[in-house]
Amino acid sequence: MSPITGVWLRREASPTEERTPLTPADAARLIAGGLPVAVERSEQRAFDTDAYAAAGCRVVAADSWSEAPDHYAVLGLKEPVARPADLTHQHIFFGHAYKGQAGGPALLNRFAAGGGRLLDLECLTDESGRRLAAFGYWAGYVGAALAVLHRRGRLSAPLRSMAKDELDAALSEQPGGASALVIGALGRSGRGARAALETAGLSPSLWDVEETRDLDKAALLGHDILVNTVFASEPGPAFLDASDLDRPDRVLSVVSDVTCDITSDCNRLPVNDKPTDWAEPVRVLRPPAPGLDVIAIENLPSLLPRESSTAFSADLLPHLATLPSWSPVWDRCAAHFRQALPTPTADRGEVSEHE
């Protein structure tokens, strides 16, 4: 494929996606280092298009990425719009297509049909497999915050994006009052969840690999709030399944599934089989006495778009700068894509169905 000598930042298709993987300040740093940046207009992005223009970016029309030069990498967060169906460029975004997720095969077929390549941000790792750029901290923070606010009866729908100070003020209004458990407490998302719960005046129980190896189900069900932040790369025992909902010793009433592996075989909370969203953030799995409600929003960090984008962009920046020289981190992304890519004769009917 053509060497990458530029970055094309596209707008996001989802109306609730206000984040960006590249802020104006970091775009200016790329440009200063010799890597040109084109930015699509977007009315919903957390940073104004004018700020990118002031940083030296070339401003282009929304959804014009298919017209980008071949040597530009098309950068985004989630899958681009459905037209054109065939993806010919090198794209950088979170594909969510390598663990058997619904929609994954159709996305990969778009690349197979067009001859393009996905450099999946989820696979941007060091030699040990540690992710180098992630929204995990802010996903955990928002996921835990929403669980607390819902249990206190203070979560209003539809949700809207806000600044962290506003969210923290809401968490601090009624401190304490519940027991909480964070599973995956030592990871990025776990640390974010812990910080939000502490802001809310709670001292959560913290479980990670050791605590879940031989799961104490009674202890888990004895908490009011469960925040699942585990990043699972392979199937494992369920933390909560349908049989647990009818247990008489269940105290648990709110589950925030930050991981949201709902359509994957890696789902550790099979009790829930579909995501929630900004319009309806809470799904009732059991009515009161005792009830059980689930929050499973797939783009939690977008509720704090400026903070989460700034942190992510700072992590991603040094790796974007290596695109022209093609560092080992991009080799690893490309290898994951080659392994997942379907044969060139993939059924074009699947692509049409995805659209």
Side-chain angles (χ1 to χ4, degrees), residues 138-156:
W138 293 108
Y141 197 98
V142 175
L146 296 183
V148 170
L149 293 177
H150 175 60
R151 191 176 186 281
R152 293 175 179 173
R154 298 182 59 82
L155 186 63
S156 300

Side-chain angles (χ1 to χ4, degrees), residues 2-142:
S2 300
I4 295 174
T5 59
V7 173
W8 189 285
L9 180 64
R10 59 173 170 79
R11 79 168 188 99
E12 295 298 320
S14 169
T16 62
E17 189 52 83
E18 300 181 20
R19 293 174 296 171
T20 177
L22 183 65
T23 64
D26 288 336
R29 295 183 177 97
L30 285 181
I31 294 167
L35 193 64
V37 178
V39 176
E40 292 186 357
R41 294 188 180 278
S42 173
E43 297 300 322
Q44 66 194 45
R45 192 184 290 128
F47 299 87
D48 291 339
T49 302
D50 288 347
Y52 287 95
C57 301
R58 177 164 66 99
V59 176
V60 295
D63 299 329
S64 59
W65 49 267
S66 63
E67 303 168 11
D70 291 343
H71 55 87
Y72 270 62
V74 180
L75 175 64
L77 286 178
K78 300 296 181 71
E79 184 176 353
V81 292
R83 296 287 183 184
D86 299 352
L87 299 178
T88 60
H89 290 80
Q90 299 191 72
H91 285 254
I92 302 172
F93 63 91
F94 289 100
H96 302 300
Y98 297 166
K99 296 194 294 183
Q101 296 99 322
L107 172 61
L108 292 172
N109 273 333
R110 294 183 72 183
F111 283 101
R117 176 162 62 181
L118 172 61
L119 302 173
D120 198 318
L121 287 167
E122 200 168 44
C123 300
L124 193 74
T125 62
D126 63 16
E127 298 86 346
S128 68
R130 184 182 68 87
R131 290 174 65 180
L132 298 172
F135 284 98
Y137 179 89
W138 293 108
Y141 197 98
V142 175

